[in-house]
Amino acid sequence: MTTDLHTLLAPYSLDALEPPENTRFEAHLEQCPACQAELAGFQATATRLGDAVALTPPATMRSRVLTEIARTPQERPVVTAIAQRRSLRSAVPRMAAAAAFLVGTIGVGGYAIERDNAHEADARSTTITSVLAAPDAATTSKTFSTGGNVRLVASPAQDSAVIVANDLARLKGHKVYQVWMINGAGPKSQGTFTSSGTMIMHGAGGADSVAITVEPEGGSKQPTTAPIVTIAI
Amino acid sequence: MGANAAHLKLASSSTAGPTVDLGDLLVRTGRGDESAFAAVYDALSSSVYGMARRVIRDPSRAEEVSQEVFIQVWKTAARFDAQRGSAKSWVLTMAHRRAVDAVRHDQAASNRDRKYTSSNGPDFNEVEESVTLSLEHEQVRRCLAGLTDLQREAVLLAYYQGYTYAEVAEALNVNPATIKTRIRDGIVRLRDCMGIEA
């Protein structure tokens, strides 16, 4: 089972895995940069196979699709904040704006749409930008092959960190992502999110790392699965 | 003859080369640009529909799935990441997954047994021929021809018929591990033949 996960990559690229294996392989894929790189080439190959049997669709399909999308809202990579503490709840709109700023300006690969929001976000945010603006703020990011990314900005001087999860693959079966701050006393829950989320972590100066696990809806008291990502602070 | 050649050249230039980058169009689509989306549709609708037709067979179901694919493209375009692959690959990967899901769902719903045995399995020669005949792209045809018969059979059954590798194994009465290997070797050979960067 552990030995031959890599042998699932080629069938995966053709959507030829049974559902349980598919789930298992996707979990592996997130942690396997070599698999991600190879998969891109396999998918490009499969794309040629699909392209090779192109066929003009009925003309009516075009107008139906265009009519449909005109009334279909888009899933924007807007960050919906999950505040665990009451003091943070009141800050949610501000945090959401600031998170858009964060996602758009930190690191490479941020989407232009988010950069467009940067100006107003910059003006309104306070808590998060104070972390961002800290002279010692350090950013770490991790992109998932199944979609989305996580960015962590930590400022030891402010004893705080901000974590932004952007557009991660939605989990099936009533599962959520749960964020943990880990220090010598063990992991401490920072909150959960379904696809995107941002949270401020105080006391980050004493933490060793931040981890994200997949947990049942509502979150767990302690992590019950291996982290999908661990970021050292 | 001269007029003919000119005509061909015109025809190929009108279908072959979008001067606007598809990735840019998808990014604009992600910002809500409906005209950019329409251009994405025009560039990829034949690929999506043709693939769906091949996998699903039923024309109206294929059309329905194709429509769903484009609506999903519209909804999730902001997730497209050019660093992880081309726009066409992003859309067709999404489309293939949906087409295969539709086939499996429909077959499960109609209680039809897709787990053919080797005695009542599909005629692979027929499958192969129908795929090969309609291939527009000479390169794909040539590269498929460069596979061993066993590799080609496994790849074609998985991609165009929506079989899982376990179903391919069962249909051919071969060890699943062997099918995984054939698929892998087949794709690697296709990839290299097509000049796709490893």
Side-chain angles (χ1 to χ4, degrees):
Chain A
M1 145 159 188
T2 47
T3 50
D4 59 5
L5 270 174
H6 285 91
T7 68
L8 299 180
L9 192 141
Y12 176 81
S13 73
L14 301 183
D15 298 311
L17 295 182
E18 305 279 348
E21 273 182 335
N22 204 70
T23 307
R24 211 150 53 84
F25 181 75
E26 285 187 341
H28 169 70
L29 188 60
E30 281 182 354
Q31 300 167 18
C32 176
C35 304
Q36 293 165 20
E38 187 163 46
L39 179 62
F42 284 3
Q43 283 176 336
T45 305
T47 294
R48 301 274 182 99
L49 293 177
D51 207 23
V53 292
L55 195 63
T56 307
T60 50
M61 186 171 122
R62 187 180 197 271
S63 55
R64 272 203 300 279
V65 167
L66 294 184
T67 304
E68 189 63 31
I69 63 113
R71 57 174 182 234
T72 303
Q74 290 180 298
E75 292 172 14
R76 306 237 175 238
V78 163
V79 178
T80 47
I82 294 94
Q84 292 296 297
R85 284 155 286 189
R86 185 176 299 166
S87 63
L88 286 182
R89 285 221 170 92
S90 62
V92 162
R94 207 170 64 223
M95 285 173 59
F101 166 75
L102 175 63
V103 171
T105 51
I106 304 295
V108 288
Y111 292 109
I113 178 94
E114 293 149 15
R115 276 199 295 276
D116 293 345
N117 293 337
H119 302 294
E120 54 176 322
D122 195 16
R124 280 185 291 165
S125 64
T126 51
T127 319
I128 288 177
T129 46
S130 73
V131 175
L132 297 184
D136 64 340
T139 304
T140 319
S141 71
K142 154 92 180 158
T143 299
F144 296 94
S145 63
T146 49
N149 57 56
V150 169
R151 297 173 203 280
L152 178 79
V153 182
S155 163
Q158 304 223 353
D159 196 28
S160 296
V162 174
I163 190 163
V164 175
N166 181 47
D167 217 30
L168 265 59
R170 288 188 181 275
L171 297 164
K172 290 179 182 141
H174 303 289
K175 295 283 174 52
V176 294
Y177 296 101
Q178 188 162 6
V179 180
W180 307 90
M181 193 160 77
I182 300 167
N183 58 25
K188 190 177 168 202
S189 176
Q190 302 295 306
T192 65
F193 61 94
T194 54
S195 174
S196 299
T198 183
M199 51 201 77
I200 300 173
M201 293 174 281
H202 297 293
D208 303 315
S209 60
V210 170
I212 299 177
T213 62
V214 173
E215 302 292 341
E217 213 165 59
S220 302
K221 291 205 164 114
Q222 289 291 312
T224 62
T225 61
I228 59 166
V229 60
T230 303
I231 301 172
I233 294 185
Chain B
M1 181 66 204
N4 219 352
H7 171 74
L8 284 176
K9 195 175 174 193
L10 193 66
S12 77
S13 69
S14 68
T15 52
T19 46
V20 183
D21 180 65
L22 259 184
D24 290 344
L25 287 171
L26 259 190
V27 169
R28 280 166 53 197
T29 299
R31 294 180 208 160
D33 183 336
E34 292 181 24
S35 66
F37 173 81
V40 170
Y41 177 91
D42 290 339
L44 296 180
S45 60
S46 298
S47 302
V48 168
Y49 177 71
M51 185 280 297
R53 266 295 289 275
R54 176 71 62 193
V55 173
I56 296 168
R57 305 292 186 94
D58 177 63
S60 61
R61 187 78 170 110
E63 186 177 342
E64 188 184 309
V65 168
S66 301
Q67 279 177 227
E68 287 170 13
V69 166
F70 278 105
I71 289 160
Q72 191 183 355
V73 167
W74 166 255
K75 278 158 74 170
T76 62
R79 284 189 212 164
F80 168 67
D81 181 352
Q83 290 178 345
R84 289 216 298 265
S86 74
K88 182 181 261 185
S89 188
W90 189 70
V91 172
L92 271 185
T93 298
M94 190 187 287
H96 188 260
R97 186 158 303 178
R98 281 219 167 210
V100 164
D101 282 350
V103 162
R104 290 178 192 161
H105 176 267
D106 293 352
Q107 274 159 342
S110 69
N111 258 339
R112 234 163 66 207
D113 190 3
R114 332 181 49 235
K115 292 184 170 62
Y116 299 99
T117 66
S118 50
S119 59
N120 69 354
D123 181 338
F124 299 119
N125 292 331
E126 188 229 349
V127 167
E128 224 171 273
E129 200 168 307
S130 69
V131 168
T132 314
L133 278 180
S134 59
L135 293 183
E136 283 182 9
H137 296 204
E138 168 59 20
Q139 185 197 49
V140 173
R141 196 199 59 72
R142 183 171 52 76
C143 291
L144 278 173
L147 303 189
T148 69
D149 291 347
L150 294 174
Q151 289 168 351
R152 188 166 53 246
E153 176 182 68
V155 169
L156 293 181
L157 281 173
Y159 189 81
Y160 292 120
Q161 305 287 99
Y163 278 43
T164 66
Y165 79 86
E167 288 171 331
V168 174
E170 195 165 335
L172 303 178
N173 198 21
V174 174
N175 186 320
T178 305
I179 298 300
K180 281 193 285 190
T181 305
R182 284 181 195 168
I183 289 177
R184 183 185 173 81
D185 292 348
I187 295 181
V188 166
R189 199 182 277 197
L190 281 177
R191 179 195 66 195
D192 295 346
C193 172
M194 291 169 179
I196 292 166
E197 221 174 286

